[in-house]
Each structure stands twice: as C-alpha cells, then as structure tokens.
Amino acid sequence: MSFGDATAIIIAAYNAQATLAHAVHSALAEPETAEVCIADDASTDRTLAIAQELALSDARIKVIPFASNGGPSVARNAALAATRSPWITILDADDYFLPGRLGALHAIASDADFIGDALIRTPTGATPAWRPRSLVPNALTLTDFLLGNLGDAKGALDLGFLKPLMRRSFLDTHAIKYRPEMRLGEDYEVYARALALGARFVVCGEAGYVSVEREGSLSKDHSEADLQRLRDCDDAIAQLRPLSSAESVALKRHRSSVDRRLQWRRLITAVKTRDPATALSTFRSPDAAVYLCGKLAEQAWLRSTGRGPRALSTEAAR
C-alpha cells in the first residue's frame, strides 16, 4: 500500500453489537485500511464495549463515544475530524467489505474525487453470490445523480445509498461535512453538494460492498421533520452555483418527489388527529394531489380486496 491509497474507514454505530465486529474485521483485512474510526452514537447495548475491545487488538482502530444520540451525520462528522488519511469511505455497522474492495476502487480512481461501486444487496445471514470482475468507471453527472434518486425506480447502483471512496482534499477544499440535522438522505445531500461544486464522481459495478438487507430497518421510518429537511436541502443546493436547465429540472423533480412523500405523511397525521384543514392543505400542488389520490385509491383497493387492513400509519413510510 502506498500512502496515497491510505484509507480511513468511518463507522457510525448504534446498537450494532451483533454485527460491528464483522464489519470492523472486514475493513481491517483490506491492505489500504490505515484507520478505522468507530463513532458510537450512544448505543444502549454492548456496541461501545465491543468497539473498545476491538481497539485493544489493533492500533488502527479509534473509538469516539457519544453521551447522547446525535444521529449518523453527527457521528460521521466526528470521525472525519478524528482521521487523517487522504481517502475516506463509509461502512455501515451492519454491512461489510469483501476482500479486495478498496484495492479495486483505488485501481480505477485516477483523478476522480469520488469512486462509487454498486451495492451487493444480501439478506441477513446469506452469503453473497459474487466474484471479482473487471470494473469500468463511468462519469456521474449532477443531473444523472438527481434523477437516480427520485424514489419511483431504483437502478442497480442505488445512487443515494452509495458508499464511495472520497478524496479528503476535495472535502477539505470545499468544507464538505454532513449536515448534522439530517437523519434521512444525509448521503444524498453530501454527494449532490459535491457534484454541484465540481466533484469528479465515477461509478462502477460491484467491487465488494455488501449491504445487508434487514427486516424492520429504520430506513423507512421517516418523520415529517426528516422528510422536510431532505426536501429543503435541495433549495440550498440550488444556490451553490447557476445550474444548467437540465440540472434545474432534475433538482425540481427530486424536490417534488420528496415533497409528495412529506404530504402523504402529513395527510396520515391529519386523518389520525381529525384535522381537516391540514388534510386539505396537503393537496398543495397538482403533483402532490395526483400522488395522494393514487395512494388513497391504493388503500381503498387493498381494503376492498381483503388484502389488508393495512394501517395508514404503516403506509406513511412508503
């Protein structure tokens, strides 16, 4: 490993006692791994104790304990500040690397600032059916990235969920950190902001990041505040520089796609609290109205066909 390939692995951990050791060992096995920084976000199980035990076994491991839960953005920012390697990548505490992932990404990095690989989505307990293959980097534009995050269709790359290699010098030059208030879409916001600021971002096929699909994942349990912050972060991105016509259209489409989900959540709450004024206000635009009518029709059909009842509260996350 050359110093230029040295990589810091950042793990924001919360109640991950069952999976943290596997994640950490997979990172340590990579020759390019110079640092593993575990930010324990005030876990209530043995996650912190496990992290501290792991740190005793390898000097590359740093542990940052939090007294109160701040969310993934706060934890990641603390780990960013505590590491020094020229490259950084995120590893979720319940995911893991397959051997050779970092080397494969560094091999195609060239002058890129971000190098993202397709996730290998694998059910809990299953072994991924994957073998190394040649990777071809393809440039990712801001427009393509925005259109890949609309939520109505997922491509193989799942662009908003990528865990790319990130060049620290680019992050430092543009003062890019995770927005601490965001608990939903924090990765999306960082990547979109970086692209708007001129990041050279390439994507490729599967290099070895295993994303474990878990039952009852919190990724679908979004509050109104979470969705509103995700929607409104697009307004800030629009102010970074003059956008092209295609970029502006794509950004508006993304904002609208998040706003539809927000209005559906607000409608659910209004129905449950018997608040007709708020319920009516959710039909705020033709786009939202069409979406909400479709969701209501879906609910009515599910009940009429006996495939429910499906409580509106459980549907709010969709």
Side-chain angles (χ1 to χ4, degrees):
M1 177 192 73
S2 67
F3 174 75
D5 290 346
T7 304
I9 314 300
I10 289 176
I11 302 175
Y14 177 71
N15 287 355
Q17 64 179 16
T19 59
L20 179 61
H22 186 198
V24 171
H25 288 310
S26 77
L28 293 173
E30 297 293 277
E32 298 78 13
T33 296
E35 304 170 273
V36 175
C37 190
I38 306 166
D40 178 73
D41 201 10
S43 296
T44 58
D45 62 3
R46 293 196 67 253
T47 297
L48 178 58
I50 291 170
Q52 292 169 333
E53 291 166 5
L54 289 166
L56 293 175
S57 68
D58 196 304
R60 289 176 291 173
I61 301 174
K62 303 176 183 179
V63 179
I64 303 174
F66 280 82
S68 59
N69 183 271
S73 293
V74 172
R76 290 175 179 177
N77 284 341
L80 282 171
T83 55
R84 294 293 180 266
S85 298
W87 290 94
I88 305 152
T89 193
I90 303 297
L91 174 60
D92 285 346
D94 39 11
D95 295 339
Y96 59 94
F97 297 161
L98 293 175
R101 180 196 181 232
L102 293 184
L105 295 181
H106 279 293
I108 64 171
S110 187
D111 63 349
D113 302 303
F114 290 70
I115 308 95
D117 54 328
L119 305 179
I120 303 171
R121 293 195 174 277
T122 305
T124 301
T127 300
W130 177 82
R131 60 180 178 82
R133 53 180 58 86
S134 297
L135 299 176
V136 178
N138 294 290
L140 180 67
T141 68
L142 176 59
T143 298
D144 290 339
F145 177 74
L146 294 169
L147 295 178
N149 278 279
L150 296 182
D152 51 358
K154 288 192 175 184
L157 281 167
D158 291 338
L159 296 179
F161 296 94
L162 294 179
K163 300 295 186 290
L165 274 181
M166 299 181 283
R167 195 183 293 272
R168 185 184 295 273
S169 60
F170 183 89
L171 300 182
D172 290 346
T173 296
H174 297 280
I176 293 178
K177 297 179 181 179
Y178 291 88
R179 288 181 54 168
E181 73 276 11
M182 291 189 70
R183 290 176 177 256
L184 167 66
E186 66 278 356
D187 293 312
Y188 160 84
E189 193 278 334
V190 163
Y191 306 155
R193 182 157 36 114
L195 282 162
L197 291 170
R200 295 162 294 191
F201 202 135
V202 299
V203 292
C204 61
E206 297 172 348
Y209 187 102
V210 179
S211 175
V212 180
E213 296 185 319
R214 301 161 292 278
E215 292 293 330
S217 170
L218 291 178
S219 63
K220 292 184 178 180
D221 187 19
H222 309 318
S223 70
E224 291 180 28
D226 289 335
L227 287 164
Q228 184 168 332
R229 292 186 190 108
L230 177 57
R231 181 197 66 183
D232 293 347
C233 81
D234 282 344
D235 298 332
I237 290 169
Q239 300 303 313
L240 291 173
R241 62 166 171 81
L243 300 180
S244 70
S245 176
E247 290 170 339
S248 294
V249 169
L251 189 64
K252 289 176 182 177
R253 286 187 62 187
H254 180 267
R255 190 183 191 283
S256 179
S257 73
V258 179
D259 186 65
R260 290 195 301 263
R261 293 159 58 197
L262 172 60
Q263 300 315 317
W264 176 239
R265 172 73 74 170
R266 292 183 64 231
L267 178 59
I268 300 300
T269 301
V271 170
K272 291 171 65 176
T273 58
R274 295 180 172 81
D275 182 352
T278 297
L280 185 61
S281 73
T282 62
F283 292 81
R284 52 187 288 161
S285 68
D287 185 62
V290 169
Y291 179 80
L292 295 178
C293 288
K295 295 293 288 182
L296 292 170
E298 177 188 24
Q299 289 294 304
W301 180 80
L302 288 169
R303 285 171 172 75
S304 68
T305 57
R307 297 179 61 181
R310 297 178 64 180
L312 284 176
S313 59
T314 65
E315 280 295 288
R318 293 185 56 190

